[in-house]
Amino acid sequence: MIPDVYKALNWLEKHYTILQGIQRGLERETLRILPDGSLSKTPFPNKIGSALTHPWITTDFAESMLEFITPVNTNIDYMLTFLRDLHRYASINIGDEMMWPLSMPCFVAKEDDIILAQYGSSNEGRFKTLYREGLKNRYGAMMQTISGVHYNFSLPTAFWQARDGVKNTEEGKDVISEGYFTLIRNYYRFGWVIPYLFGASPSMCSSFIQDPEKAKAFIEQTNGNCYLPYATSLRLSDIGYTNNAQKQLGITFNHLDTYVEGLKRATKTQSPEFSRLGIKVDGQYRQLNDKVLQIENEFYAPIRPKRVPRAGESPSDALLRGGIEYIEVRALDVNPFSPIGITEEQIRFIDLFLIWCALAPAPEMSSQELECAKLNWNRVILEGRKPGIEITMGCGSYHEPMAKVGHQLFKDLLRVADVLDHHDEKQHYRKVCERLDIMFDHPELTLSARTLQAISDLGTAKFGLALASQYKKQLLSEPLAVLTDNDFVQQRYLSLEKQEKLEQNDKLSFDEYLTLQNK
């Protein structure tokens, strides 16, 4: 079942220097809560700056939903320390509020409690808020408050030069993009390993389950919590809602032009379901437009090919211009056992796995096979710790015990680990492999099992609040490590100034601006 990577690994071991300089970045989402656990209704703290233009601390769907963003860096320790500094600074500037340490919210009683993220009076800011209004009306605000961690990753140019003979990233953009699509296809085929190892949302509040039929599968607890006994990452499941419109898109990950064509088609194709919502009703906008996707970023996927766009450029146009620059991994739950939602161990594992995905052969995937691969994901998401669970290939024509496939994968990952550890006496990557490989025989060691145990003992509310309080005290007691107070003061000033300029320089009415954006 595991593709033959023997030759590729032999080649990699002879070219061990080409993995030096992996570029990484992190984005972590978390809800601001009050000491009683209820959702904060206060605005994004002005002490931090402008959520619209701050490069490191902003908001995601809701005004209470912080998002921390690290700059791109090659050093894992520096990146994690930077992220921790962002958490330290935010902890100071949110008063007595705390940061919810779980992916799944708990105290959101009704959707009206959720205030959409506000970005000021500029056309750009109003556009971002209206996009969120559209998400709320299309899929429900509750679902949008589920938090995760995104990991951005790119291989060094030296990797592509040595393997594919490209001279530079500009001339070799097509070859590099094809290489990243190989990575993505392998990620779809074998990425279920991420929710198995690191899924941390085996339970949810019963209010999140919209479908009574789906609710029957859950075990309810007296505290209003419900769970599936073998679930790993309900955050990634369609338990709460399904997006039937997106399921019909048929977007594949074989070639850049067809991928972009699929995205663009989705932003131009009218959705009968969303048309019924209306775009502007009684003078109030309900969504940006009535297309299948309001904008390209509405396309939900556990992994995305990305390039930083230029001003006024869409994500897909950026990809067409320069090819794939990096990969965004979106399948990570917030790790409740870390104050910053992710650990070094997780980062090192994903490094290993993504490198393996780039090395392993990956035949092209039809949209049908892609849907079959998603069935494996869903099986692991809903019952990944179930004894004897099997993984299928070829749309069910071939199947193996998941533990067997996992162990086979880790044999390859160990060889990648030794390449990355070439100059590391402490063998950090190898130790990660050795610790995680055991989990296929001992599912009780996985994050989801540990989280479910804690929630069963304490209840979601007590568990989450205890951690939130512990992490608040811990972060407040720590000095900044790589950033300074002056760095944050400067970014606050610059972000507020940039927002003010945007608001002063608008030449179009919002109606005109929106018409232009929807063309």
Side-chain angles (χ1 to χ4, degrees):
M1 177 173 284
I2 292 291
D4 185 356
V5 198
Y6 182 77
K7 289 183 180 178
L9 290 173
N10 284 344
W11 170 84
L12 184 67
E13 287 163 347
K14 294 174 184 175
H15 297 81
Y16 57 87
T17 60
I18 63 171
L19 292 180
Q20 295 173 8
I22 291 171
Q23 301 258 28
R24 308 172 182 86
L26 284 168
E27 303 163 27
R28 187 262 166 113
E29 302 159 354
T30 179
L31 291 167
R32 288 186 288 121
I33 58 166
L34 299 177
D36 66 357
S38 60
L39 200 61
S40 168
K41 293 186 179 180
T42 61
F44 180 82
N46 183 266
K47 292 179 182 178
I48 292 175
S50 164
L52 177 65
T53 53
H54 200 293
W56 305 330
I57 307 176
T58 181
T59 50
D60 191 75
F61 173 76
E63 187 71 354
S64 59
M65 196 172 187
L66 293 173
E67 182 173 8
F68 301 107
I69 304 167
T70 70
V72 176
N73 195 267
T74 59
N75 184 291
I76 293 174
D77 290 338
Y78 179 86
M79 177 179 66
L80 286 171
T81 306
F82 195 107
L83 183 63
R84 199 174 184 104
D85 272 358
L86 299 183
H87 282 71
R88 289 165 178 149
Y89 191 75
S91 294
I92 295 169
N93 287 286
I94 59 175
D96 64 350
E97 294 176 351
M98 300 182 293
M99 292 178 276
W100 185 245
L102 302 169
S103 276
M104 302 301 294
C106 182
F107 293 95
V108 184
K110 53 184 184 298
E111 294 211 339
D112 290 344
D113 292 339
I114 302 166
I115 301 169
L116 299 181
Q118 303 296 309
Y119 299 102
S121 61
S122 69
N123 285 333
E124 183 180 334
R126 292 177 65 188
F127 183 89
K128 287 175 69 100
T129 299
L130 178 55
Y131 168 59
R132 285 152 176 77
E133 181 73 33
L135 295 177
K136 173 184 175 181
N137 291 325
R138 288 171 173 222
Y139 317 115
M142 297 274 279
M143 292 302 126
Q144 305 300 319
T145 61
I146 297 172
S147 300
V149 177
H150 300 166
Y151 182 55
N152 299 318
F153 171 94
S154 65
L155 287 160
T157 304
F159 175 88
W160 306 110
Q161 289 173 329
R163 195 185 74 165
D164 300 311
V166 305
K167 292 182 179 179
N168 53 59
T169 53
E170 186 174 346
E171 291 184 27
K173 65 179 183 179
D174 294 336
V175 173
I176 293 171
S177 293
E178 291 295 316
Y180 277 125
F181 274 121
T182 292
L183 183 159
I184 290 171
R185 292 194 296 275
N186 275 324
Y187 182 95
Y188 268 102
R189 287 180 172 117
F190 300 99
W192 45 261
V193 69
I194 294 175
Y196 175 73
L197 296 171
F198 303 132
S201 53
S203 64
M204 60 170 66
C205 287
S206 54
S207 58
F208 274 85
I209 307 175
Q210 308 291 320
D211 187 337
E213 286 302 311
K214 291 178 180 177
K216 292 177 182 177
F218 281 78
I219 300 170
E220 287 200 44
Q221 296 175 309
T222 54
N223 53 27
N225 192 61
C226 59
Y227 69 96
L228 294 177
Y230 303 113
T232 60
S233 178
L234 294 177
R235 165 183 163 266
L236 294 176
S237 75
D238 64 355
I239 289 294
Y241 73 99
T242 56
N243 188 337
N244 293 320
Q246 290 200 22
K247 284 186 175 181
Q248 304 303 318
L249 291 178
I251 293 175
T252 56
F253 299 90
N254 297 318
H255 305 287
L256 187 58
D257 55 349
T258 53
Y259 171 76
V260 167
E261 180 187 341
L263 270 184
K264 287 185 175 294
R265 184 172 60 250
T267 62
K268 303 297 181 186
T269 302
Q270 188 180 57
S271 161
E273 178 186 356
F274 300 148
S275 291
R276 287 192 289 273
L277 289 174
I279 298 172
K280 192 175 186 180
V281 180
D282 297 329
Q284 296 293 318
Y285 280 107
R286 293 185 174 180
Q287 53 185 336
L288 294 175
N289 52 59
D290 60 359
K291 304 302 186 285
V292 175
L293 301 178
Q294 296 177 93
I295 58 175
E296 292 169 359
N297 281 343
E298 191 174 334
F299 177 57
Y300 294 102
I303 188 169
R304 284 179 181 168
K306 300 289 287 283
R307 170 165 288 275
V308 176
R310 294 172 178 168
E313 191 175 46
S314 72
S316 63
D317 285 337
L319 287 172
L320 287 178
R321 168 180 54 81
I324 299 175
E325 182 179 11
Y326 65 98
I327 294 298
E328 181 187 36
V329 172
R330 300 165 55 82
L332 281 167
D333 286 353
V334 173
N335 184 338
F337 302 103
S338 164
I340 58 174
I342 190 168
T343 64
E344 177 188 341
E345 178 177 77
Q346 291 176 280
I347 288 167
R348 290 188 185 277
F349 169 77
I350 297 173
D351 282 352
L352 292 169
F353 180 62
L354 294 181
I355 292 165
W356 179 87
C357 286
L359 291 171
E364 292 189 3
M365 296 178 79
S366 65
S367 56
Q368 180 187 5
E369 189 190 346
L370 194 58
E371 289 304 312
C372 290
K374 291 176 184 177
L375 293 177
N376 278 331
W377 280 74
N378 209 45
R379 190 176 298 118
V380 173
I381 285 163
L382 297 180
E383 51 182 20
R385 288 177 285 108
K386 188 175 184 179
I389 181 175
E390 292 187 332
I391 295 299
T392 63
M393 290 290 282
C395 287
S397 61
Y398 183 71
H399 52 88
E400 289 270 19
M402 184 190 71
K404 179 180 178 181
V405 180
H407 289 315
Q408 290 173 344
L409 173 64
F410 267 79
K411 286 181 182 178
D412 288 346
L413 296 186
L414 268 173
R415 292 182 66 183
V416 179
D418 288 339
V419 172
L420 288 168
D421 285 337
H422 191 82
H423 295 297
D424 181 5
E425 291 181 0
K426 294 183 178 179
Q427 295 187 308
H428 284 99
Y429 281 98
R430 171 168 273 271
K431 288 176 180 176
V432 165
C433 279
E434 291 169 348
R435 284 195 299 268
L436 296 179
D437 191 19
I438 295 170
M439 293 184 185
F440 289 102
D441 297 321
H442 294 277
E444 70 276 8
L445 299 176
T446 60
L447 269 187
S448 58
R450 292 169 59 201
T451 302
L452 185 58
Q453 183 63 58
I455 287 173
S456 297
D457 291 343
L458 298 174
T460 304
K462 286 185 178 179
F463 176 57
L465 281 173
L467 285 180
S469 178
Q470 174 190 326
Y471 294 155
K472 173 95 174 180
K473 292 174 184 174
Q474 191 174 336
L475 292 164
L476 287 175
S477 71
E478 298 171 354
L480 295 174
V482 297
L483 292 165
T484 65
D485 284 321
N486 189 56
D487 290 329
F488 284 106
V489 169
Q490 186 178 28
Q491 288 300 337
R492 174 184 184 270
Y493 171 78
L494 290 173
S495 67
L496 291 171
E497 182 182 49
K498 189 173 181 181
Q499 177 176 327
E500 186 178 359
K501 285 182 178 177
L502 285 170
E503 292 173 351
Q504 290 174 347
N505 293 337
D506 277 335
K507 305 298 183 185
L508 301 174
S509 70
F510 184 63
D511 286 348
E512 292 170 330
Y513 178 83
L514 188 57
T515 299
L516 190 64
Q517 295 299 313
N518 281 328
K519 280 187 177 178

